[in-house]
Every structure is written in structure tokens, then in C-alpha cells.
Amino acid sequence: MKRAIPVLVLSVAGLIPVWRYAPSTDTGSSSTTTETAAPAATPSVSSSAGSGGTTSTVVSGSTIDTEKGPVQVEVTFEGDRIASVRMLRQPNHPQTTAAVPKLIEETLRAQSADIDTVSGATITSDGYKESLQAALDAKG
């Protein structure tokens, strides 16, 4: 009985920080930053001639509202090939920040919107693929 009271007091004292814990929503300066653009109701297309006569086309996909937040991509084409993908809007969520590079890498490898969903970021992945497909459709 002599040990029961100190054990109980120390257990409660150890649990108080756990009960009060709240995850940080601050992204800090070391995390990846994304540019925010105004929502586009429909995809937009712009073209410019690059060096060597290759036409560079930049297409913004539709803004997709997901449960986690809006998702919008911008795709740069060199001719008919996807040269780069950039996130214009993305949810401020750790899983999204981790998933975006994987989604972009898969897109550049597949050269289409037929890519795998990133585990743990299913909602963002689905929004990404939908916005990407809208950009591909707008390019034609």
C-alpha cells in the first residue's frame, strides 16, 4: 500500500502531457512551400516557343476540392511529352507534403494520369489525379 500512492501520483503526472498534446500546425521554414493560385473553374492553357523550335505548353488543371483541402496542378508539356508538374494548390497536411514528390515522379514516369495512389494520402492522390487528368484533357 505504501507504494501504490506514489505509483498512482506519478502515473497521473506522466499522463497529463499526453492528454494536453496537440500536434503542431506550423509548417515552418524548412518544409516545402507551394504557390497558391486563384481557383480555376476550368483548365487553362498557355504556349510559348522554346529553344530549338520545341513548343512549351503550360496547362493548369481544375481546382479539385477534397476533404483535406483544394488540389490543383500545373503541367508543362514539351511537345506532347509531360516535362514537369507543379502543385499550385495542395492541402496543408504532412501526408500531402510527403506524397506530392511521389505523385509527380510517377506522373513523369507514366506520362499520364494513370498512376498509383500514395498510401496514407489517398484523398490528395485522388484530387491530384483528377486535376492532372483535367490538364491533360485541356491539352488535347
Side-chain angles (χ1 to χ4, degrees):
M1 187 66 179
K2 291 181 183 180
R3 284 189 264 177
I5 292 175
V7 168
L8 180 63
V9 169
L10 291 174
S11 295
V12 170
L15 288 174
I16 289 174
V18 174
W19 288 327
R20 295 183 50 121
Y21 176 76
S24 174
T25 58
D26 180 29
T27 58
S29 61
S30 64
S31 66
T32 305
T33 58
T34 25
E35 296 178 21
T36 305
T42 57
S44 61
V45 179
S46 65
S47 297
S48 65
S51 62
T54 307
T55 302
S56 178
T57 307
V58 179
V59 182
S60 296
S62 300
T63 300
I64 308 301
D65 290 318
T66 69
E67 295 173 26
K68 301 287 184 183
V71 176
Q72 183 181 23
V73 300
E74 178 183 84
V75 182
T76 303
F77 294 92
E78 296 292 334
D80 288 334
R81 183 167 171 72
I82 298 173
S84 67
V85 180
R86 185 171 65 120
M87 292 293 285
L88 295 177
R89 301 186 77 184
Q90 72 182 45
N92 184 14
H93 200 270
Q95 279 110 348
T96 297
T97 304
V100 167
K102 295 175 187 175
L103 292 168
I104 291 172
E105 181 182 332
E106 277 288 314
T107 301
L108 295 175
R109 186 176 309 130
Q111 290 293 305
S112 73
D114 186 23
I115 59 174
D116 291 332
T117 299
V118 175
S119 179
T122 304
I123 294 169
T124 300
S125 296
D126 291 344
Y128 173 91
K129 290 192 285 188
E130 192 174 336
S131 182
L132 177 63
Q133 187 61 56
L136 296 173
D137 292 345
K139 167 73 165 75

